[in-house]
């Protein structure tokens, strides 16, 4: 038996074949979701405690802008770095970078410390979430990519939703600083303990490359040439990158301005936690089937449907009032996100060569998560200019609808088993 056959036999792909390692990666991303989710209810609603004056929407959004800029840039680094030194080392770097987050929030005398904490959050999320989804794609193989990404995103966003709800209750009981300190450090410590048992999936990548019928060594192009090609020259990748930006603009609205919008309408911290928590939890749980759905019917229909549902949920939020109606709108938005979010990653992965998958996904995730910075700046300016949050909601609904229309008109089906049926 030659070395290629030996490697292929030792590192066979498939979720069932690698269920132990796949489960460990799922637990890792659940903890990643807890870390980002712990901020979503408490910080925006209590920003005045950190010196943010009423109506200073752009300054409020600055903590998400810093997060988006750092996470977007480091997604590029994470993808390329993981192809060179392996996924596990990058995952470890991400968890180490997470340790200062709850400490900075706990000791923060002003909002600038929160902005600094979110610089570390950007590093943490870029390295950890990027590595978990890339590793699960490595383990799953081509026929289960949608399911693998769906499970990954489900675990992460369920964690995010539960964290938003839990920290809302904990903040009422123990105060926001203690709630975020203990919750954040607990999640990071658990992740580091579990990381001991995680194996690096780069070996599966090399085995896949060795047996791939059309594999070739990565092209010897410059980093900048590859970035420009994925971002602008390739029409399919370009459409997916803009879609990534658009859905993060919507998520920025939920993260930064929804808590203030609902607070202005007499909702308390716990009620806000339920609304944003339902959005995150539906987004998370639904991805358990939306990724698998795209493996069966193709990527394009779920992605386009998701964008239009997300826009409809935003419009509903703007038009109605009351806790139950806003919960219903949050459910619609969560379902829309579940349909589009994992399947954008899976669609990018469908045509990426195995040895370049980390780099190409890194470029996509750069644009997607830079959408936080773009969204924070854009929506902060809209709210600042109008001195109201409602125009920012309408603007976001329009951006999301146009992004879905772009995908519908420009992109052909990418799933290899559906290309002949869906165009």
């Amino acid at each position: 038996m030659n070395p290629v056959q030996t490697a292929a036999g030792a590192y066979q792909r498939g979720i069932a074949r690698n269920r132990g390692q796949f489960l460990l990666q799922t637990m890792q991303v659940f903890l990643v979701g807890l870390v980002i989710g712990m901020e979503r209810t408490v910080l925006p609603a209590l920003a005045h405690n950190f010196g943010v004056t009423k109506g200073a929407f752009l300054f409020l959004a600055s903590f998400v802008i810093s997060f988006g800029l750092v996470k977007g840039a480091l997604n590029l680094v994470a993808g390329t770095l993981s192809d060179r030194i392996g996924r596990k080392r990058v995952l470890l770097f991400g968890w180490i970078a997470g340790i200062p987050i709850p400490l900075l929030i706990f000791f923060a005398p002003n909002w600038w410390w929160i902005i600094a904490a979110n610089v570390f959050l950007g590093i943490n999320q870029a390295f950890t979430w990027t590595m978990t989804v890339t590793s699960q794609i490595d383990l799953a193989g081509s026929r289960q990519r949608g399911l693998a990404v769906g499970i990954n995103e489900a675990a992460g966003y369920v964690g995010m939703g539960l964290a938003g709800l839990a920290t809302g209750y904990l903040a009422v009981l123990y105060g926001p600083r203690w709630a975020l300190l203990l919750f954040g450090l607990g999640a990071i410590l658990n992740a580091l303990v579990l990381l001991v048992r995680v194996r690096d999936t780069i070996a599966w990548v090399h085995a896949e490359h060795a047996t791939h019928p059309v594999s070739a060594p990565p092209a010897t192009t410059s980093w900048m040439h590859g970035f420009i090609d994925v971002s602008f020259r390739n029409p399919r990748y370009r459409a997916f990158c803009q879609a990534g930006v658009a859905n993060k603009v919507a998520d920025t609205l939920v993260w930064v301005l929804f808590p203030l919008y609902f607070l202005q309408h007499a909702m308390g911290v716990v009620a806000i936690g339920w609304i944003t928590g339902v959005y995150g939890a539906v987004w998370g749980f639904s991805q358990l089937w939306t990724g698998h759905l795209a493996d069966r019917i193709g990527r394009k229909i779920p992605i386009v449907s998701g964008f239009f549902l997300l826009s409809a949920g935003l419009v509903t939020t703007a038009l109605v009032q009351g806790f139950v109606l806003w919960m219903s709108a949050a459910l619609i938005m969560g379902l829309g996100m579940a349909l589009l979010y994992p399947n954008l990653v899976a669609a990018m992965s469908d045509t990426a060569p195995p040895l370049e998958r980390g780099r190409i996904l890194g470029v996509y995730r750069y644009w997607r998560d830079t959408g936080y910075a773009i969204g924070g700046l854009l929506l902060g300016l809209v709210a600042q200019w109008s001195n109201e949050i409602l125009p920012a909601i309408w603007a976001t609904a329009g951006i999301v609808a146009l992004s879905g229309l772009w995908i519908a008109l420009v992109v052909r089906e990418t799933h290899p088993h559906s290309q002949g049926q869906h165009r």
Side-chain angles (χ1 to χ4, degrees):
M1 185 177 292
N2 63 42
V4 171
Q5 291 173 321
T6 302
Y11 300 106
Q12 293 185 12
R13 295 178 304 284
I15 294 174
R17 289 191 184 99
N18 299 289
R19 56 184 172 271
Q21 285 298 308
F22 198 90
L23 178 60
L24 282 171
Q25 293 286 353
T26 303
M27 295 169 70
Q28 286 281 307
V29 76
F30 175 77
L31 293 164
V32 173
L34 291 184
V35 173
I36 190 171
M38 71 181 188
E39 289 192 354
R40 288 186 166 237
T41 299
V42 176
L43 282 184
L46 300 176
H48 63 279
N49 290 355
F50 298 98
V52 180
T53 58
K54 184 179 180 181
F57 296 113
L58 188 57
F59 185 44
L60 171 68
S62 60
F63 83 114
V64 175
I65 294 173
S66 67
F67 166 77
L69 288 174
V70 172
K71 188 183 179 190
L74 289 184
N75 278 337
L76 290 172
V77 176
T80 303
L81 191 62
S82 72
D83 286 340
R84 294 180 179 176
I85 69 171
R87 319 308 198 201
K88 184 173 179 177
R89 288 183 184 177
V90 180
L91 185 57
L92 174 62
F93 297 158
W95 283 120
I96 293 172
I99 295 171
I101 300 166
L103 296 172
L104 284 167
I105 295 172
F106 183 77
F107 291 108
N110 55 54
W111 196 246
W112 291 107
W113 282 52
I114 306 301
I115 295 171
N118 272 37
V119 170
F120 285 100
L121 182 65
I123 301 170
N124 165 261
Q125 296 288 301
F127 283 0
T128 55
W129 208 321
T130 300
M131 286 309 96
T132 59
V133 71
T134 304
S135 296
Q136 289 186 298
I137 289 171
D138 294 340
L139 293 169
S142 61
R143 295 192 177 187
Q144 294 180 309
R145 277 194 194 118
L147 178 59
V149 176
I151 291 171
N152 177 277
E153 301 291 354
Y157 282 94
V158 166
M160 185 190 77
L162 292 178
L165 181 58
T167 52
Y169 279 105
L170 290 172
V172 171
L173 293 174
Y174 304 110
R177 294 177 189 262
W178 278 106
L180 297 183
L181 177 71
L182 297 177
F183 191 91
L185 288 179
I188 294 166
L189 178 61
N190 275 284
L192 288 169
V193 170
L194 287 172
L195 188 59
V196 175
R197 299 180 59 192
V198 170
R199 295 177 63 188
D200 202 316
T201 61
I202 199 70
W204 277 264
V205 175
H206 289 297
E208 179 184 1
H209 171 68
T211 59
H212 200 280
V214 294
S215 282
T220 56
T221 56
S222 68
W223 172 88
M224 183 56 69
H225 183 276
F227 175 81
I228 291 172
D229 183 62
V230 174
S231 302
F232 305 111
R233 289 177 182 158
N234 185 305
R236 179 180 60 250
Y237 288 159
R238 181 174 65 230
F240 290 143
C241 286
Q242 70 78 27
V245 172
N247 81 73
K248 287 303 185 185
V249 171
D251 197 41
T252 301
L253 177 77
V254 176
W255 189 353
V256 181
L257 295 181
F258 266 23
L260 290 185
Y261 182 70
F262 298 135
L263 200 64
Q264 290 174 358
H265 290 81
M267 296 288 109
V269 174
V270 171
I272 294 169
W274 272 104
I275 297 169
T276 59
V278 162
Y279 159 77
V282 171
W283 177 357
F285 278 118
S286 296
Q287 288 175 111
L288 291 170
W289 62 267
T290 58
H292 182 57
L293 174 69
D295 285 336
R296 297 175 64 86
I297 70 169
R299 318 295 190 202
K300 184 173 179 178
I301 292 174
I303 290 171
V304 173
S305 300
F307 272 101
F308 290 139
L309 272 176
L310 177 58
S311 183
L314 289 164
V315 169
T316 303
T317 302
L319 292 176
V320 304
Q321 286 195 26
F323 178 72
V324 174
L325 293 175
W326 279 327
M327 286 272 284
S328 301
L331 189 151
I332 295 169
M333 290 176 61
L335 181 58
M337 276 290 202
L339 284 164
L340 69 91
Y341 199 78
N343 294 317
L344 284 170
V345 177
M348 288 290 292
S349 301
D350 285 336
T351 53
L355 293 186
E356 296 181 74
R357 184 179 299 136
R359 177 185 63 81
I360 290 172
L361 286 179
V363 174
Y364 165 73
R365 290 170 71 88
Y366 163 79
W367 284 110
R368 190 191 68 187
D369 292 320
T370 299
Y372 280 121
I374 295 170
L377 184 61
L378 175 64
L379 300 180
L381 285 172
V382 169
Q384 193 86 39
W385 172 75
S386 62
N387 201 32
E388 292 183 20
I389 296 172
L390 195 59
I393 299 176
W394 283 111
T396 306
I399 290 169
V400 169
L402 288 173
S403 181
L405 186 61
W406 185 338
I407 296 287
L409 296 178
V410 171
V411 175
R412 287 188 170 189
E413 181 56 61
T414 64
H415 190 264
H417 305 294
S418 305
Q419 288 171 346
Q421 303 171 36
H422 303 284
R423 293 290 182 183

